[in-house]
Amino acid sequence: MDRVVNFSAGPSAMPLEVLMRAQSELVDTNHAGISVLEMSHRSKAFEEILSNTKQLLRKLMNIPENYKILFLQGGASLQFSMIPLNLLQKDHEAAYIITGSWSQKALKEAKKVGQTTVTATSEEDQFRQIPDLSQITHSKNLSYVHITGNNTIEGTRFTHLPKTDAPIINDWSSGILSEEINVSDYGMIYAGAQKNLGPSGVTVVIIRDDLIGHAPDGLPTMLNYETHTKADSLYHTPPTFGIYMIGLMLEWIDSLGGVKEVERRNREKASLLYETIDQSTIFHSPVKKEDRSLMNVPFKTDSVETDRAFLHFAAAKQLVELKGHRSVGGMRASIYNAMPLEHVERLCGAMREFEETMK
Amino acid sequence: MDRVVNFSAGPSAMPLEVLMRAQSELVDTNHAGISVLEMSHRSKAFEEILSNTKQLLRKLMNIPENYKILFLQGGASLQFSMIPLNLLQKDHEAAYIITGSWSQKALKEAKKVGQTTVTATSEEDQFRQIPDLSQITHSKNLSYVHITGNNTIEGTRFTHLPKTDAPIINDWSSGILSEEINVSDYGMIYAGAQKNLGPSGVTVVIIRDDLIGHAPDGLPTMLNYETHTKADSLYHTPPTFGIYMIGLMLEWIDSLGGVKEVERRNREKASLLYETIDQSTIFHSPVKKEDRSLMNVPFKTDSVETDRAFLHFAAAKQLVELKGHRSVGGMRASIYNAMPLEHVERLCGAMREFEETMK
Ligand SMILES: Cc1ncc(COP(=O)(O)O)c(C=O)c1O
Ligand SMILES: Cc1ncc(COP(=O)(O)O)c(C=O)c1O
Ligand SMILES: [Mg+2]
Ligand SMILES: [Mg+2]
Ligand SMILES: [Mg+2]
Ligand SMILES: [Mg+2]
């Protein structure tokens, strides 16, 4: 079958070059005489992959030396528990800024562990914006402030950070490597790989080293960040193929000119799509302009039937996985790093064409 | 580079046919127009992969309908904690039979959760055998009895099960699908995929359904088996590519004639290798004959220097990853399902040739 244009929110489209490179190496990787799928995680061949991947991520995100990089299993969802289990100190609170379903899930897990506080939420506004952060104050005994930097489902993104002395922890699953940020503004950044980084099954954790080593006794060994930092992600068998694929994705980003160039492309793609939506008389964006995500673009018509008709219309043009999340409805186009401008143009073209047929 | 013969204990050799099939489909899988790496876990295309993989495992292992099959993240190592967190009831004990480093690690995590008891151990014997199980008695209020069915490091395997009314839980990471067993003898069987099943990053859990649903409140959602059984391994993003690869491995086993034929091959390979070791005047097996693993075969000479010389000798013949685990020393040949008889013959030939050079 011809290659289709895949707007999935994750696992999501990967660059054809990266897939072809992985394909060409799948039986014999890096001239090792075996596949990366068969490499012992303790072998030189794999340790080289691991260390190169880590170094390249450090370079591309400009990660300071006092931050550790981990490749873990369990998805961002397991981080929702690992974060409070490791970092929520006794007699302290964890603050959550609630901007969508993922932050709600993160909060739910933290509540099982200790004291939490919601310092801002845009729930009353159906999460159509990021709450005003200039107003909020944070108490003194906070272990951390948790944000969802890009809201995959609702299509919003943080452009400012809350003011706080506590470490800010960012679930950046759907934003990582999409734009330049200052890592040292955060105590920890984490991301499931299956959007901008690679296949599902690897979670990248970037954590400031002073936050490690304070977990309570009795915490399961596998849930303690210290276990994995001490062993350099090799305490047990890591998801080796996923780490290898992240390496290929990072090399591809590097070859384009790094995150700066990727951000330029992402802004270009997102502008085009939002303009098309805003200019359209039938499609509209539910999201406040200033807070619109560069990665996940929800849009709707005024009727469920018209939404459905558009989804069919688009699918016939090989534009797939455009259905919005069930909690939001309508359409959602996820346009991660791997999505070329040309594919966004095809979507915009289809939207205009569909609008014509509706006249 | 020419393909080498890879005796790694895991991640380990995969059948060349399986790798070539994965390679041929890597850019366009099952004619979906995208790679399996890019498929949404909620897509029809992926749900078909998931359901086929599960069905085929059920068929090959003859898993009764009252057992659930889960594909989780976190490796067997995370199961060491999930098992007691889910199954160790209040006022009950968990019994562990200690047969090597992996059972010790499993016990260590259970101790953090509740009351444990060691009902048998072969530690005083450096784990060269499985302890005599006919003698042991289990108390009445046991939540489960945990065994390590195949000891990857020490090269032993259970051929009898302890007598108990409590559910037996088997860490079968290095044994799954290597020989026929009766699943209903167990409450739960679990295995990291990276030996007989596929790439690292997926853990298969086969669990009797009456054991599910008794976890204490407050357990992190991701650590509760019920979360994953209710959502059919789709509570969050599963390791999609790993599940796909397991599917290909299972199809390969099926094409050979199923587990019965695979077991016949494994017994043939293991016999050949143990005979070569036993007949050799310089190599010997540390393991008691009746308890020898079909999958992991440790062997030694009388000196560290000769061991090292042999490892070099073998590597020159493209026989790699034969170094024993650091806790045991010497050599270890892991000869999982994917290893053809011919490769074991090459190893045996190299051992005899090396012995000649030593005369
Ligand atoms: C922002 C965000 N957080 C968390 C998750 C959950 O990640 P996972 O499914 O890998 O656990 C997702 C997406 O899937 C996400 O988009
Ligand atoms: C018997 C056994 N149990 C547990 C493990 C740990 O598995 P993982 O590294 O996937 O956590 C292994 C091997 O790696 C093993 O051989
Ligand atoms: Mg969200
Ligand atoms: Mg409009
Ligand atoms: Mg062992
Ligand atoms: Mg001998």
Side-chain angles (χ1 to χ4, degrees), chain A residues 14 23 38 73-74 109 221, chain B residues 14 23 38 73-74 109 221:
Chain A
M14 298 181 77
Q23 180 171 48
E38 306 174 292
Q73 297 185 45
E109 297 305 316
T221 304
Chain B
M14 298 181 77
Q23 181 172 47
E38 304 172 292
Q73 296 185 45
E109 297 305 318
T221 304

Side-chain angles (χ1 to χ4, degrees), chain A residues 66 82-92 113 142-144 167 169 187 207-220 223-230:
Chain A
N66 62 325
M82 282 179 70
I83 289 162
L85 286 167
N86 280 272
L87 305 177
L88 179 41
Q89 294 153 269
K90 251 189 124 214
D91 307 319
H92 279 60
V113 177
L142 275 189
S143 286
Y144 58 83
I169 299 184
I207 181 168
R208 213 173 61 208
D209 56 16
D210 63 285
L211 297 176
I212 300 161
H214 313 295
D217 294 344
L219 186 63
L223 300 186
N224 194 329
Y225 291 124
E226 194 175 20
T227 301
H228 302 289
T229 53
K230 273 193 176 163

Side-chain angles (χ1 to χ4, degrees), chain A residues 240-257:
Chain A
T240 51
F241 181 75
I243 294 169
Y244 160 79
M245 285 303 303
I246 291 178
L248 297 194
M249 287 287 279
L250 297 177
E251 283 181 33
W252 174 77
I253 291 175
D254 200 31
S255 76
L256 297 181

Side-chain angles (χ1 to χ4, degrees), chain A residues 2-276:
Chain A
D2 277 348
R3 212 165 146 73
V4 302
V5 179
N6 174 19
F7 291 96
S8 168
S12 46
M14 298 181 77
L16 188 56
E17 303 94 292
V18 167
L19 290 172
M20 288 176 71
R21 162 103 183 264
Q23 180 171 48
S24 73
E25 300 186 341
L26 198 74
V27 173
D28 183 4
T29 312
N30 297 342
H31 311 291
I34 57 173
S35 170
V36 59
L37 292 162
E38 306 174 292
M39 285 179 189
S40 166
H41 56 303
R42 311 264 177 222
S43 65
K44 275 226 178 66
F46 180 72
E47 291 210 0
E48 202 172 299
I49 289 172
L50 177 63
S51 122
N52 289 345
T53 302
K54 228 171 31 184
Q55 271 173 44
L56 194 46
L57 185 64
R58 197 175 287 282
K59 176 186 137 183
L60 289 170
M61 289 184 68
N62 207 356
I63 300 171
E65 282 306 320
N66 62 325
Y67 285 73
K68 295 277 188 283
I69 300 171
L70 298 174
F71 299 101
L72 303 181
Q73 297 185 45
S77 299
L78 188 59
Q79 293 309 307
F80 295 166
S81 294
M82 282 179 70
I83 289 162
L85 286 167
N86 280 272
L87 305 177
L88 179 41
Q89 294 153 269
K90 251 189 124 214
D91 307 319
H92 279 60
E93 284 184 329
Y96 282 73
I97 298 180
I98 303 300
T99 52
S101 324
W102 292 116
S103 12
Q104 286 175 322
K105 287 199 176 176
L107 172 65
K108 181 179 162 223
E109 297 305 316
K111 280 185 173 168
K112 297 182 181 178
V113 177
Q115 279 302 115
T116 60
T117 174
V118 172
T119 43
T121 173
S122 48
E123 186 169 11
E124 69 282 9
D125 198 38
Q126 291 102 65
F127 302 125
R128 289 152 184 266
Q129 56 177 301
I130 301 294
D132 181 5
L133 301 174
S134 63
Q135 307 297 335
I136 66 171
T137 52
H138 282 111
S139 75
K140 286 268 167 240
N141 63 343
L142 275 189
S143 286
Y144 58 83
V145 179
H146 183 279
I147 67 168
T148 310
N150 186 78
N151 292 280
T152 323
I153 294 176
E154 298 79 10
T156 59
R157 95 184 205 283
F158 279 74
T159 53
H160 304 85
L161 292 181
K163 278 186 210 70
T164 171
D165 292 333
I168 296 173
I169 299 184
N170 185 2
D171 175 1
W172 215 27
S173 292
S174 47
I176 193 165
L177 286 166
S178 67
E179 58 179 311
E180 292 188 300
I181 57 154
N182 192 359
V183 172
S184 54
D185 290 343
Y186 302 87
M188 174 176 154
I189 296 167
Y190 65 104
Q194 66 269 15
K195 292 120 177 11
N196 265 336
L197 278 171
S200 61
V202 199
T203 314
V204 171
V205 170
I206 301 163
I207 181 168
R208 213 173 61 208
D209 56 16
D210 63 285
L211 297 176
I212 300 161
H214 313 295
D217 294 344
L219 186 63
T221 304
M222 282 288 292
L223 300 186
N224 194 329
Y225 291 124
E226 194 175 20
T227 301
H228 302 289
T229 53
K230 273 193 176 163
D232 201 10
S233 301
L234 291 172
Y235 168 72
H236 80 135
T237 321
T240 51
F241 181 75
I243 294 169
Y244 160 79
M245 285 303 303
I246 291 178
L248 297 194
M249 287 287 279
L250 297 177
E251 283 181 33
W252 174 77
I253 291 175
D254 200 31
S255 76
L256 297 181
V259 180
K260 193 188 193 80
E261 169 59 15
V262 162
E263 175 173 348
R264 190 195 62 73
R265 293 178 183 212
N266 287 334
R267 289 187 181 274
E268 189 177 8
K269 291 175 332 195
S271 299
L272 176 66
L273 183 49
Y274 284 118
E275 265 166 38
T276 305

Side-chain angles (χ1 to χ4, degrees), chain A residues 339-350:
Chain A
M339 176 79 51
L341 176 64
E342 186 219 325
H343 289 180
V344 178
E345 285 168 348
R346 275 175 64 183
L347 172 60
C348 294

